[in-house]
Amino acid sequence: MGRRPAGTVVNVRQLYHTIRGVQDLAATERESTVSRSLRRRCWLWRRGFLSRSDAVYDLDESTYRDYVSDYQRYVRSKRINGTWSVALSNKLLFHRVMQPFDAHRMAVYGMLRDGTYHPIDDRVDGPAAGSAARHELADGGPALEAVSGTISGTESDRTEGRRERDAPHTTRNAAQRVVERLEAEERLVLKWVRGGGGNNVLLCTRTEDGYRVNGDQYAEVEFRSLVSNLDEYLVCEYVEQGPFGAALYPETPNTLRIITMYDEAAGEPFIAAAIHRIGTSDSAPLDNFTQGGLSAAIDPDSGTLSAGAQPPVDGEVEWHSRHPDTGVPIDGAQVPGWHRIRERLLEIAAGCSFVPYVGWDVIVTDEDGSFTVIEANSYPGLKSIQVHGPLLADDRVRRFYERHGVR
């Protein structure tokens, strides 16, 4: 029997992902709360857009071609990173990919599977020492050489003397280990190893009379039951945002979403778009735009913010020059240490050039531009980006999408 042509496997894989993408597109349209006439919906569908996009973008015959459509995002942009998309969609693998940039990755203490705790980078010296090591790396100290190599199996050799495993525990019971960690740190993030968009993320806090998870109160027995039933969840440090983000809205972590693209002709990555996501009382405990958070565009040269856009429930986008809950100015505010953040993130993107299309989620941790990458996305959502204007109006961005078959 002859060998199957290699192209057959590729075509089958692409067909599968195309079908899945169209299914996701249809499901999203069915769930939409935005009402449009049948005639308008047909106009949108023929051009690849969902009704929800019509409430966010300025779509007409003269403008729609400048926007990345929902079809292009759900179906075609998923192909850009190819098999390496798993390096971002699997959060544990991404944690390993970020190993050379340890100054900018959060700690992942362990994984929960079937009620069992599996250590990943639990430390004897605890979060304070880990934080100190990351600052040493960010400042170019001696530990920088320990993680400047490429990803390999020599992590313990490069980080010897700076990181250690926890001493052996008497139990690997998932609930017990999470409770112990919360006793030490008071806050943790539990996140599913797969998936994005803020889904399946649990922000856990130790309180005087139990635990709080995403704002809901749990007695200890309820919390232990919750943790025991989690499967393939990572136990991660809670990254404290700096004064700037906390002042905007202290009830949520407020992240930067920065999209980088790798320009093969120039042999370098570039920033295609950047926004500051800011939580509100509608989106808490997270800052997600689709759940009612704000999106403020970041000027790529100065780091200055625009007014914050808030998605409509049904109607038009609302624009806020000040935060609707805290009253803190947004329009004209400046991301602290933006130039340092921009240049360092481009260095990281260059080190991950085998993944040419990345949506980075970043928490700024001080006023000097120190930051932690908490997640990365292989086909990032674009409504919070294109609410500020169409991506394809930028020639370099358009060429990137054309080169990768999205346009």
Side-chain angles (χ1 to χ4, degrees):
M1 213 173 158
R3 294 179 63 186
R4 179 183 297 172
T8 303
V9 178
V10 174
N11 290 337
V12 170
R13 184 185 299 121
Q14 288 186 350
L15 178 61
Y16 168 78
H17 287 299
T18 297
I19 293 172
R20 285 295 303 272
V22 171
Q23 289 174 338
D24 291 344
L25 200 66
T28 302
E29 180 67 2
R30 286 195 298 270
E31 295 167 1
S32 176
T33 59
V34 176
S35 61
R36 290 292 184 269
S37 67
L38 180 59
R39 180 178 181 180
R40 180 60 177 175
R41 286 193 175 195
C42 289
W43 186 93
L44 293 166
W45 294 341
R46 286 198 301 269
R47 290 155 182 81
F49 293 94
L50 300 176
S51 301
R52 191 179 297 175
S53 295
D54 197 33
V56 178
Y57 303 157
D58 179 22
L59 297 174
D60 59 35
E61 285 293 346
S62 65
T63 62
Y64 80 88
R65 292 180 181 85
D66 287 335
Y67 288 89
V68 179
S69 73
D70 294 299
Y71 178 82
Q72 290 166 340
R73 187 254 164 174
Y74 275 84
V75 177
R76 295 182 179 174
S77 71
K78 288 184 178 181
R79 306 171 184 168
I80 295 176
N81 292 326
T83 56
W84 279 104
S85 63
V86 70
L88 306 184
S89 60
N90 185 303
K91 295 178 176 63
L92 180 54
L93 180 55
F94 176 68
H95 182 64
R96 299 304 191 197
V97 168
M98 284 289 293
Q99 177 189 314
F101 314 104
D102 194 55
H104 303 291
R105 68 174 181 168
M106 67 179 178
V108 177
Y109 301 121
M111 177 187 283
L112 311 177
R113 290 192 67 189
D114 298 324
T116 302
Y117 182 91
H118 300 268
I120 294 175
D121 56 13
D122 253 335
R123 300 177 180 128
V124 170
D125 41 17
S131 176
R134 286 193 292 273
H135 283 299
E136 179 185 341
L137 285 160
D139 294 337
L144 181 59
E145 296 180 3
V147 293
S148 60
T150 56
I151 300 170
S152 69
T154 61
E155 178 183 5
S156 60
D157 294 335
R158 288 198 304 272
T159 59
E160 186 176 359
R162 184 177 58 83
R163 301 175 66 180
E164 299 178 6
R165 296 287 184 185
D166 271 341
H169 282 69
T170 57
T171 180
R172 294 184 68 182
N173 178 276
Q176 181 61 29
R177 292 293 290 274
V178 170
V179 166
E180 288 174 1
R181 178 61 71 173
L182 275 170
E183 289 291 339
E185 298 193 25
E186 295 188 355
R187 289 198 284 187
L188 286 175
V189 179
L190 308 181
K191 57 172 65 178
W192 194 36
V193 75
R194 297 183 295 274
N199 298 318
N200 303 309
V201 176
L202 306 177
L203 303 184
C204 304
T205 305
R206 181 76 172 94
T207 65
E208 291 183 0
D209 54 351
Y211 301 87
R212 186 175 297 111
V213 181
N214 288 356
D216 296 326
Q217 189 68 29
Y218 284 74
E220 182 168 338
V221 65
E222 295 172 319
F223 181 72
R224 285 176 178 270
S225 177
L226 171 69
V227 173
S228 296
N229 288 307
L230 295 177
D231 190 43
E232 294 196 343
Y233 268 71
L234 299 180
V235 182
C236 308
E237 74 168 313
Y238 183 95
V239 179
E240 293 284 354
Q241 63 188 338
F244 180 79
L248 290 171
Y249 188 66
E251 302 304 318
T252 64
N254 302 303
T255 57
L256 311 188
R257 163 62 62 84
I258 302 173
I259 295 181
T260 60
M261 299 177 173
Y262 194 82
D263 187 332
E264 295 175 0
E268 64 180 15
F270 66 97
I271 291 177
I275 60 171
H276 201 318
R277 300 188 298 192
I278 308 166
T280 67
S281 57
D282 292 331
S283 71
L286 300 173
D287 62 354
N288 295 58
F289 179 74
T290 55
Q291 296 173 10
L294 306 181
S295 167
I298 301 174
D299 182 273
D301 295 321
S302 67
T304 303
L305 300 184
S306 73
Q310 189 170 30
V313 176
D314 190 10
E316 297 183 352
V317 173
E318 295 184 15
W319 294 90
H320 301 274
S321 59
R322 291 178 174 270
H323 194 282
D325 298 309
T326 64
V328 173
I330 298 173
D331 192 7
Q334 193 166 34
V335 177
W338 168 250
H339 293 94
R340 181 183 180 189
I341 295 169
R342 181 186 64 191
E343 297 311 311
R344 183 57 177 152
L345 193 64
L346 285 172
E347 291 176 12
I348 296 173
C352 300
S353 60
F354 54 90
V355 190
Y357 184 49
V358 184
W360 307 89
D361 290 346
V362 170
I363 289 183
V364 182
T365 54
D366 62 22
E367 296 296 276
D368 298 321
S370 298
F371 66 90
T372 298
V373 177
I374 61 169
E375 199 166 298
N377 301 271
S378 187
Y379 57 103
L382 297 178
K383 286 183 177 60
S384 61
I385 300 289
Q386 292 191 123
V387 68
H388 301 286
L391 273 172
L392 299 179
D394 184 319
D395 289 339
R396 197 176 190 187
V397 172
R398 181 185 290 269
R399 288 195 299 270
F400 174 86
Y401 281 125
E402 288 174 347
R403 186 162 56 246
H404 290 279
V406 175
R407 286 283 297 166

